[in-house]
Amino acid sequence: MKRFVLALFSTLALATSAAHALEYSEVLADKSQITFGYQQMGVSMEGRFGTFSSELRFDPAAVDSARAAIEVELASVDTGLPDGNEEVARKTWFNTADFPTARFESTAVKALGGNQYEVAGTLTIKGTTKDVIVPATFTPEGDTGVFEGSLNIQRGDFSIGEGAWKAFDVVANDVLIKFRITAAAR
């Protein structure tokens, strides 16, 4: 009888832990955002991208199998000014005619403790791909989860700003990309 009770409790414990394992895979675009910040003539500027698609697979209980890919439509940039939006779409900046999207794809996810993670991956902008490490947090909120993080890039590494804009005296080289991705569990 004692073995039967132990076996029953073990089975219930496994079933309970499996029931609580959720995989977050459905990105809720209307509750997600990708923004960026930079300095122009010493003044802090901000913008955002209005359109992006993503693939996500994240189970907090199986971090080693987590995967993420985000593709941003560069023409969806919003600098806060229509003239600014037109300017950054040109060849000297994003060159959206030849390079319509930027893409991040994870290669590994490492749990750091608590809700902190380190996401290794590749970032491709204007045909240039660089390895990056993105610090991120994950916060479960009922049947959804929120991923937040930021990544500092050098725009010169991706040829963002060519010709007269190649120098960093007017527009700084540092660009801070921030994201808040909300995903539903399946």
Side-chain angles (χ1 to χ4, degrees), residues 51-87:
T51 306
F52 61 91
S53 60
S54 53
E55 298 170 25
L56 178 66
R57 195 176 87 214
F58 180 78
D59 177 349
V63 173
D64 291 343
S65 64
R67 298 285 177 258
I70 299 173
E71 196 161 272
V72 176
E73 288 185 30
L74 295 175
S76 74
V77 67
D78 181 0
T79 63
L81 298 168
D83 290 346
N85 299 346
E86 288 177 26
E87 177 66 32

Side-chain angles (χ1 to χ4, degrees), residues 58-63 109-118 135-140 146-148:
F58 180 78
D59 177 349
V63 173
V109 178
K110 179 180 174 183
L112 300 177
N115 69 340
Q116 306 287 317
Y117 297 87
E118 186 176 84
T137 61
F138 170 74
T139 306
V146 177
F147 301 87
E148 291 185 282

Side-chain angles (χ1 to χ4, degrees), residues 20 24 26 30 55 69 73-74 95 122 130 136 141 152 168 174-176:
H20 289 291
Y24 297 86
E26 182 185 343
D30 62 327
E55 298 170 25
E73 288 185 30
L74 295 175
N95 189 6
T122 58
K130 299 280 185 188
E141 296 180 355
N152 192 46
F168 307 122
D174 291 331
V175 177
L176 181 64

Side-chain angles (χ1 to χ4, degrees), residues 99-110:
F99 303 100
T101 60
R103 181 174 175 84
F104 170 81
E105 189 164 352
S106 69
T107 54
V109 178
K110 179 180 174 183

